[in-house]
């Protein structure tokens, strides 16, 4: 099976803009989770979707949002970008009944100028 | 929120030797999962090993094995016969039934030829 894919791989934006990141899970996986990785804060959980419903959300401001489509593909959106949003955004997918075992994509590197 | 602590920021090992990475965690749950992930310079997070808390037997995956001490809330990773390709950042992670991975700060492993 193909692994988790994320697009784009790299992105440069300016403060105040918004950005949409995409994630395609492993075929058959219905759960998709998003994480932010920064040098200062490490890896932090953003949110998790299952069957188009957000089941869990981390401690991030409302500028961070996401959604999941019927084919399990997921997008996350960050509005009104701030310099501190510069990070590696990782998407992970997992199989039904084994949602704790998450397989990660290559990530999207976002740089906010 | 669960806390995962990796007390070794860096470890160095000679090729073909063994290295052990430490991880402790804090939880009041009795049922949970623990993981070790590897993140090489490519930044792709790779699942190395998975441990179910209700299983007393330590997990093993080829040259990778864990020492799971539930009462002590300790979960160390042993890499045997270290290879140059093992050089990476290693993250210990905890997950309970909310499917949110909580990560430690990571340990950078360098392998000397």
């Amino acid at each position: 099976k193909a692994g988790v894919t994320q697009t784009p791989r790299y992105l440069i934006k300016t403060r105040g803009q918004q950005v949409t990141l995409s994630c395609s899970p492993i075929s058959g996986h219905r759960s998709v989770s998003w994480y932010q990785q920064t040098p200062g804060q490490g890896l932090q959980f953003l949110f998790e979707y299952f069957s188009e419903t957000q089941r869990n959300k981390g401690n991030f401001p409302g500028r961070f949002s996401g959604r999941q489509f019927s084919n399990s593909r997921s997008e996350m959106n960050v509005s009104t970008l701030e310099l501190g949003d510069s990070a590696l955004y990782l998407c992970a997918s997992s199989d039904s009944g084994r949602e704790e075992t998450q397989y990660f994509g290559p990530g999207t590197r976002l740089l906010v100028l | 929120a669960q806390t995962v602590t990796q007390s070794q920021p860096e470890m160095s090992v000679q090729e073909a030797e063994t290295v052990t990475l430490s991880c402790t965690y804090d939880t009041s749950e009795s049922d949970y999962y623990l993981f070790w992930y590897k993140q090489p310079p490519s930044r792709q997070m790779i699942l190395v090993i998975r441990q179910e808390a209700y299983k007393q037997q330590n997990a093993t995956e080829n040259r990778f094995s864990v020492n799971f001490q539930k009462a002590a809330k300790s979960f160390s990773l042993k890499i045997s016969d270290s290879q140059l390709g093992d050089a990476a950042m290693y993250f210990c992670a905890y997950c309970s039934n909310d499917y949110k991975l909580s990560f430690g700060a990571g340990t950078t492993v360098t392998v000397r030829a």
Side-chain angles (χ1 to χ4, degrees):
Chain A
K1 284 184 182 178
V4 178
T5 58
Q6 292 186 245
T7 56
R9 294 292 310 279
Y10 304 92
L11 209 46
I12 300 175
K13 292 285 188 179
T14 56
R15 279 181 297 174
Q17 287 186 310
Q18 74 166 16
V19 66
T20 299
L21 312 182
S22 181
C23 171
S24 292
I26 292 171
S27 178
H29 285 190
R30 293 167 63 189
S31 173
V32 173
S33 299
W34 290 88
Y35 295 83
Q36 181 197 64
Q37 185 177 23
T38 60
Q41 300 297 318
L43 283 148
Q44 295 184 286
F45 171 80
L46 279 156
F47 26 65
E48 186 248 351
Y49 287 87
F50 180 83
S51 291
E52 303 178 66
T53 300
Q54 185 182 89
R55 289 199 297 194
N56 275 300
K57 190 177 190 305
N59 295 323
F60 278 82
R63 300 185 297 105
F64 291 81
S65 63
R67 60 177 175 168
Q68 187 181 34
F69 301 95
S70 59
N71 61 358
S72 295
R73 189 178 70 85
S74 177
E75 289 181 348
M76 67 164 281
N77 183 275
V78 187
S79 61
T80 319
L81 284 165
E82 300 177 0
L83 296 179
D85 297 332
S86 295
L88 179 68
Y89 290 89
L90 293 162
C91 167
S93 76
S94 54
D95 205 355
S96 300
R98 286 184 58 132
E99 283 94 339
E100 76 290 338
T101 304
Q102 299 177 24
Y103 298 92
F104 284 81
T108 294
R109 290 199 199 190
L110 171 64
L111 177 62
V112 182
L113 301 176
Chain B
Q2 281 69 31
T3 303
V4 179
T5 303
Q6 294 179 248
S7 58
Q8 307 152 314
E10 297 180 1
M11 293 287 282
S12 180
V13 60
Q14 189 72 37
E15 199 174 5
E17 296 295 311
T18 296
V19 64
T20 300
L21 311 185
S22 300
C23 173
T24 59
Y25 57 95
D26 182 29
T27 184
S28 57
E29 304 283 342
S30 58
D31 191 17
Y32 50 89
Y33 301 85
L34 295 163
F35 304 88
W36 280 97
Y37 281 90
K38 168 185 177 181
Q39 189 176 44
S42 67
R43 309 298 297 277
Q44 171 93 46
M45 291 283 279
I46 301 164
L47 177 62
V48 174
I49 203 162
R50 170 184 183 269
Q51 175 78 43
E52 301 171 41
Y54 61 87
K55 286 188 177 179
Q56 301 221 351
Q57 186 174 5
N58 290 322
T60 300
E61 287 288 342
N62 300 313
R63 298 181 294 105
F64 298 87
S65 61
V66 297
N67 183 1
F68 174 48
Q69 301 291 324
K70 190 171 184 178
K73 295 180 183 175
S74 169
F75 183 62
S76 61
L77 174 71
K78 185 169 80 172
I79 308 174
S80 303
D81 186 26
S82 297
Q83 300 175 1
L84 295 177
D86 295 333
M89 177 88 85
Y90 286 79
F91 291 95
C92 176
Y94 166 102
C95 186
S96 65
N97 58 9
D98 61 1
Y99 311 130
K100 299 192 293 187
L101 286 169
S102 296
F103 289 89
T107 298
T108 300
V109 172
T110 56
V111 181
R112 306 185 306 274

